[in-house]
Each structure stands twice: as C-alpha cells, then as structure tokens.
Amino acid sequence: MRVHIHTDVSALSDIPQHWHAVHWRQVERNVRGMQMRIAKATREGKWRKVKALQRMLTRTLSAKLLAVKRVTENRGKRTAGVDGELWESPETKWLAVSRMKQRGYRPLPLRRIYIPKANGKKRPLGIPTMLDRAMQALYLLALEPVSESTSDPNSYGFRRNRSTADAMAQLFVSLSQTTSAEWVLEADIAGCFDNIDHEWLNANVPMDKNILRKWLRSGLMYQGQFQETTAGTPQGGIISPTLANVVLNGLESELIDYLRRKLGTRQAIKSKVNVVRYADDFVITGASREVLENEVRPWVAAFLAVRGLQLSPEKTRITHIAQGFDFLGWSFRKYQGTLLIKPSKKNAQAFYRKVKEVISTHKTVTQKELIDLLNPILRGWAQYHSPVVAKQTYNRVGRMIFRALWRWAVRRHPNKNAAWVKEKYFCSSGSRNWVFAAPVVAQDGSNVLWELYDLPKTVIKRHKKIKGAYNPFDPDWEMYGETLQQERMLENMSHRKQWIRMYIDQGGLCAVCNCKMTKATGSHDHHIEYRVHGGTEALSNRVLLHPNCHAQVHSMGLKVIKPVPVWGI
C-alpha cells in the first residue's frame, strides 16, 4: 500500500504549522515506537526505565497530537464539560495541543450527569472538560502498554481487540465439556467505579502520581453544587476503564497462585477454578460449591477489600450450571449435559422495550424514516448475539416487533380496513410475506423496497476467541493482531458489501495516511471525483479514509488516487 495523494509529504516541515499539515502516519509511528519500548521494559520488570519512557512519551508533540485527535473524533466530542468548551475547528484543535502542559496543569471538576440503566436505575457519569479529556488520553497512551503487559489473560473489558464475545467464548471452553466445572460464582462488585480506594490507586498505578492525584481530587459539579471526590474513579473519563482494569488485574493470576500454595498443584487443577472477567463483571468456575464457598469467595473478598471494594451480598451467588446463569447479556446453561448459550430473557426484554419506545415515540414519521431509525438498533442487537444459539430468540422478538409495527400502522389509518393497511405497509419479498418495507426511488431512477432488518435472517457464526497471551504492544504478536483485526472488521461490516470490497482492496489501510482503519478510528467513504462535479457512486471512484484524513483532503484540496488493490489479506 502506498500514500496515493498528489503532495510531497516529505516537503512538509518536521514540525507542522497547523492541524491539517500533520503527517498522521509519522505521528502514529512515533507514539507506537515509544509504547512498544514501554511494554518491553514492563515485561522485563525494569520499572525505572518504564517511568522514564512514560515521562518522555507524555512530553512529545506526537502523543499530544494523537490525544487531541482521539477526543475530537470519539462519540463524546460534542459533549462539553463544566466550562462548556468544545474543539470543533482545526484552529481550536491546534491551539489545544499547546495548552497540554504538565506544569501548572489543574483539572476542572467533572460535570455530573445520570443516564438510565436497563434495570430502571440511573448510572452516574462524570464528564471532564475537553482539556482534561485530552490530558487523560495523553497519559493513557503511556499507561496502556503497562496495563496490557500486566493484565490477566482472561480479562476482556476495555482492552484492544477484546470483546464480550471473547469472554463468552472462554466460558464456553471452561464449561462445555462433560468433565468441566459444574459450579459458578456469579460475582458483582458493589459500586466498583465509585468506591476504588484513592490511596491504593496512588500507590499502585504506574503513571505520574501528581497528575493522577489531581484527577482523583478534582471533584464534581451537580446542579450548580461542588462535591468533593474522596474515593472512586468516575465513569465517563477516558482513562477510568483502564484504571479499573489495573485495580482488578491479578484477580485471576493471584487466585490461581493462592490455590496452588493452599491446596497443592494437583488439587488446584482438580478444583477447575477459572476466572473470566469483563471490566468489573466476572464469574469464577469451580468443581464444587465447597471450593467456591470456602476458598475462592473469601479470597476474592479480601483481594477487593484492599482496594476499597466489596462484593454485593444480594447479587453475588453460587449457581450450578444445570440451573444456569446470566453474564454479559447471555444465558449459560447445560441441558442434559450440553451447554447452550442464548440471549438472556432480561436482555431480550430490554431490547424489545427499546424498539417499542422508538416506534411509539415516532408515530407521525414516514415509514422509511421509521425503518432508518430501527435498522441500526435491530442489526446491532442481532450481530451481538450472532455467535450464540439465538434463532429462537430472534423469531420470538421478531414476532413481538411485528405486532408493535402493525399497531403503529393501524393507528395511522383508523378508517381503513386491515387489508388496506397490509397493502400499504407490508409486502412480499422472495419467500417472505408480511415484510415491513417502503417503496423508494434509487439513484438510477428504479423503484426499490426499503426493508426493515429481518432478525431471523442473521447468520449464526461461532466467535473465534482471541488468544489470552495476546499483547498489542509486543512485536511478536503484530501479525496475529493484524489478521484478527481485519477478520473482525469484515465480520462487523458484513452488511455493507461495498465497504468490504473497498476495505479489502486497500488492505485495511487509509488511502491517505496509510494507517490502519479500525472500529475505534472509524472510516469515511470519499469520492475521488466529487459528486457535485459529476463523480459517480462506482467503486472505482471511491476510497476509504480516516475521518481526520478526509477533513485534511478537503481543507487542503488534495487529490486522492485509487490505491492498487491488495489481495490475499
């Protein structure tokens, strides 16, 4: 893959003079090289070198540029902190880089908001200012290589290339055999993010202690009142999930070491204790109720207590696999010795309530507009459950949604009979009848049907679990990580055939900066010959670019050339 633009990147100054003059490939190379050195020093136990390298990285221009880029491209870019400031223009982004200085830095209080949870309760979030978010993103660049290199192998939350599906697949490995563990400790930490001990964080998190202390003590603003923060790391900050991972790292490895010392290696193996964790949610398997009740649970309670945390007595329970348990939206249960993983009833009900709310609050929109609102929700939920036994759930929820749509359609025409309503809003498509679809005119002038996403047609495909030892900052794992990331990107975008074709042709790289396109970076579909100038929708006239590179191309008037296809990835 080459950088296919009509401009001489080498002619640019080593130090860019404005935001759109930044050579992002070189920026990512600089930061990546430093992160790999930090990870290597961590694996070798050279902590003084780790500290020196982290200090060096957080003072580089490349790291500051990448931090500002991240906070101005993520989903929270339009959510302001207590100062009401947003960085939307290239000028404000460029100015922000010069403001990121350690000396004299003082974070502002977090803006407290509450968002509804599936159980009807509300989750507290703390929204930092843009500058504080950028500083957190900057120090996260230095902390993440250490966290990844010291994490438990079966910790899957908020880590690169790891997902809930990986946690599910690991539980399948631990529970599916006839000789597998039959008991499970379902653990729930009471208010994890709100109760982490600040002293423990200051003593154990491998980052600049002064900066960390300032964040922890920055306080909150809620309804015009300032509140001190004496414990916890508020949800909403970019670095908070990684801090929580650092707090819980060792839950798996130290527990296994404890059991080997207490019971002996042979008995520890026979106990079949396995830990699978996603952020602050985790389950622990065991061969018997006794080993979980008498050995594992007391040890876990002591492990958490040191960190200011405790298990929730109401939600922490020990369950037999024949009774089943819920984890991450799935139900795990053995039926006559066979483990089946299905969407949990609670998850399916919450999803249906969400869909029904969208339908009931959009009574007057056109049919196509309603389909546009529902399709991303339906597709996202279906894809989440596609690695498990979900066909029966898809069919049941699909019937419930059909009834809700029928009520929506009938309500719009109280003076029409059922046959007329069916003719207007439902049609046949292939072998399917009663398809909720709207006729629209395509760009070529032909009439096509704009259909609601069909849940039962979702393909069930077993998830390929990531290897536990994978480290994204270890060069030995580079090829494995590249292959895994490309496979998952293609699976996630399987409904967009043209996107897949362009992604494959470009080798998964942006056509401008030649850097990887991931789910986190996002991608834009750029027309080489602008549509306003007569450019077509043909694939030969389109390339995929990073959002920032897309803005760079338009602001600087750069001409992008179609890359030579890369085959065989």
Side-chain angles (χ1 to χ4, degrees):
M1 183 63 62
R2 299 288 188 270
V3 180
H4 298 283
I5 55 177
H6 290 317
T7 185
D8 185 5
V9 176
S10 62
L12 298 175
S13 171
D14 290 339
I15 300 179
Q17 301 304 308
H18 56 87
W19 184 255
H20 285 317
V22 177
H23 185 197
W24 290 107
R25 179 161 177 77
Q26 189 59 49
V27 165
E28 289 199 8
R29 280 179 173 175
N30 293 343
V31 173
R32 181 74 174 174
M34 289 292 293
Q35 288 179 318
M36 292 172 70
R37 291 175 65 188
I38 293 171
K40 183 174 184 291
T42 302
R43 294 193 301 272
E44 295 172 350
K46 298 178 179 179
W47 294 105
R48 293 184 65 180
K49 185 175 182 180
V50 168
K51 185 177 180 179
L53 290 170
Q54 286 182 318
R55 181 182 177 88
M56 189 184 307
L57 175 59
T58 55
R59 282 159 173 74
T60 62
L61 176 61
S62 292
K64 293 178 180 180
L65 286 166
L66 210 56
V68 173
K69 182 174 183 284
R70 174 174 179 175
V71 301
T72 55
E73 291 185 354
N74 62 17
R75 290 189 298 177
K77 63 185 178 181
R78 293 187 177 90
T79 305
V82 294
D83 60 356
E85 183 179 335
L86 294 176
W87 298 342
E88 297 180 309
S89 68
E91 292 75 20
T92 54
K93 296 175 186 177
W94 185 249
L95 181 62
V97 175
S98 64
R99 294 169 57 192
M100 296 175 65
K101 298 177 180 178
Q102 289 79 3
R103 181 171 297 179
Y105 168 65
R106 186 175 181 180
L108 292 175
L110 305 170
R111 181 166 69 90
R112 172 69 89 192
I113 63 172
Y114 291 88
I115 59 174
K117 297 169 65 174
N119 59 8
K121 298 182 179 180
K122 292 187 176 182
R123 184 191 307 277
L125 291 184
I127 308 299
T129 65
M130 292 297 294
L131 179 60
D132 293 335
R133 263 177 267 178
M135 290 294 285
Q136 288 188 17
L138 175 64
Y139 280 88
L140 180 58
L141 291 172
L143 176 61
E144 197 174 15
V146 182
S147 174
E148 282 289 340
S149 301
T150 56
S151 288
D152 292 324
N154 292 310
S155 164
Y156 298 100
F158 303 108
R159 297 180 61 192
R160 296 196 183 189
N161 287 346
R162 296 178 185 242
S163 65
T164 54
D166 290 307
M168 176 272 297
Q170 179 59 32
L171 273 176
F172 181 84
V173 171
S174 302
L175 297 169
S176 60
Q177 302 299 317
T178 55
T179 56
S180 297
E182 294 185 344
W183 293 89
V184 174
L185 171 65
E186 303 175 67
D188 183 87
I189 302 175
C192 178
F193 282 86
D194 295 329
N195 295 304
I196 298 173
D197 184 66
H198 281 183
E199 291 186 8
W200 192 95
L201 286 170
N202 282 317
N204 294 276
V205 176
M207 64 169 288
D208 188 305
K209 308 298 183 185
N210 186 43
I211 295 291
L212 177 60
R213 192 178 300 109
K214 288 180 178 179
W215 286 336
L216 296 176
R217 296 178 178 177
S218 62
L220 298 164
M221 289 293 294
Y222 180 61
Q223 294 181 343
Q225 298 293 320
F226 176 79
Q227 303 173 7
E228 291 187 356
T229 46
T230 57
T233 168
Q235 298 180 66
I238 286 177
I239 203 170
S240 293
T242 303
L243 291 178
N245 271 338
V246 172
V247 169
L248 296 175
N249 280 343
L251 181 64
E252 178 183 359
S253 57
E254 292 179 25
L255 174 59
I256 300 302
D257 289 343
Y258 163 77
L259 292 174
R260 287 175 177 171
R261 293 194 307 269
K262 181 77 180 292
L263 306 177
T265 302
R266 181 173 295 181
Q267 280 300 118
I269 294 173
K270 288 183 178 180
S271 68
K272 300 176 183 177
V273 172
N274 297 285
V275 182
V276 178
R277 179 170 68 85
Y278 187 90
D280 59 331
D281 294 326
F282 62 93
V283 296
I284 303 177
T285 67
S288 66
R289 172 184 283 274
E290 289 71 25
V291 72
L292 293 178
E293 189 70 60
N294 301 329
E295 300 293 343
V296 173
R297 184 167 181 167
W299 184 91
V300 171
F303 175 88
L304 296 176
V306 175
R307 293 153 174 79
L309 304 172
Q310 61 179 357
L311 293 171
S312 169
E314 300 82 13
K315 298 181 181 179
T316 300
R317 61 180 69 89
I318 297 175
T319 310
H320 193 272
I321 190 61
Q323 295 176 321
F325 65 96
D326 291 351
F327 184 59
L328 301 176
W330 291 299
S331 173
F332 296 76
R333 185 178 176 183
K334 271 191 174 180
Y335 299 83
Q336 298 179 343
T338 301
L339 178 68
L340 295 182
I341 307 173
K342 305 177 181 180
S344 69
K345 291 182 179 178
K346 183 179 178 181
N347 180 274
Q349 289 169 355
F351 168 71
Y352 173 68
R353 285 196 299 268
K354 181 179 180 180
V355 173
K356 189 176 180 181
E357 183 181 2
V358 172
I359 296 172
S360 62
T361 54
H362 293 85
K363 295 183 175 68
T364 60
V365 300
T366 65
Q367 186 180 13
K368 181 183 181 301
E369 288 172 338
L370 182 61
I371 292 173
D372 287 339
L373 289 170
L374 291 176
N375 274 354
I377 301 172
L378 298 174
R379 185 181 290 113
W381 183 78
Q383 290 297 327
Y384 181 83
H385 293 293
S386 62
V388 303
V389 184
K391 282 293 185 183
Q392 186 176 2
T393 305
Y394 288 158
N395 286 321
R396 185 179 70 253
V397 175
R399 289 192 296 269
M400 295 165 64
I401 293 174
F402 166 78
R403 288 194 290 268
L405 290 171
W406 176 256
R407 289 192 295 270
W408 176 88
V410 170
R411 180 189 178 278
R412 294 162 69 92
H413 305 282
N415 298 323
K416 300 293 184 179
N417 59 32
W420 187 94
V421 174
K422 177 185 182 299
E423 184 70 22
K424 180 172 178 60
Y425 292 104
F426 298 87
C427 65
S428 298
S429 178
S431 60
R432 297 169 56 219
N433 297 318
W434 289 88
V435 178
F436 191 72
V440 297
V441 180
Q443 292 183 343
D444 59 3
S446 61
N447 293 321
V448 297
L449 287 175
W450 199 255
E451 298 182 15
L452 185 74
Y453 181 81
D454 184 27
L455 291 177
K457 81 172 183 181
T458 306
V459 177
I460 302 297
K461 182 179 181 181
R462 178 166 290 185
H463 179 76
K464 181 180 179 182
K465 189 183 81 70
I466 194 170
K467 294 183 179 179
Y470 169 70
N471 186 339
F473 300 102
D474 186 345
D476 293 341
W477 288 96
E478 182 70 18
M479 182 175 292
Y480 173 82
E482 290 275 357
T483 303
L484 183 73
Q485 193 171 57
Q486 288 178 351
E487 289 175 353
R488 292 188 175 180
M489 283 286 288
L490 294 179
E491 288 176 3
N492 289 338
M493 308 302 289
S494 59
H495 60 284
R496 291 169 57 185
K497 295 181 180 179
Q498 292 186 340
W499 187 97
I500 291 176
R501 176 64 181 274
M502 289 189 288
Y503 183 84
I504 292 176
D505 285 352
Q506 296 175 208
L509 304 178
C510 170
V512 170
C513 69
N514 206 28
C515 295
K516 290 182 291 186
M517 290 180 293
T518 66
K519 188 176 181 180
T521 65
S523 63
H524 280 185
D525 188 347
H526 172 70
H527 291 71
I528 299 171
E529 183 73 22
Y530 294 175
R531 281 171 291 185
V532 295
H533 296 157
T536 69
E537 290 290 330
L539 290 180
S540 59
N541 189 50
R542 292 156 59 192
V543 291
L544 294 176
L545 310 177
H546 286 133
N548 192 74
C549 293
H550 198 193
Q552 191 175 33
V553 166
H554 283 277
S555 68
M556 298 181 68
L558 304 178
K559 179 68 175 178
V560 182
I561 297 177
K562 185 75 174 178
V564 177
V566 176
W567 305 105
I569 65 169

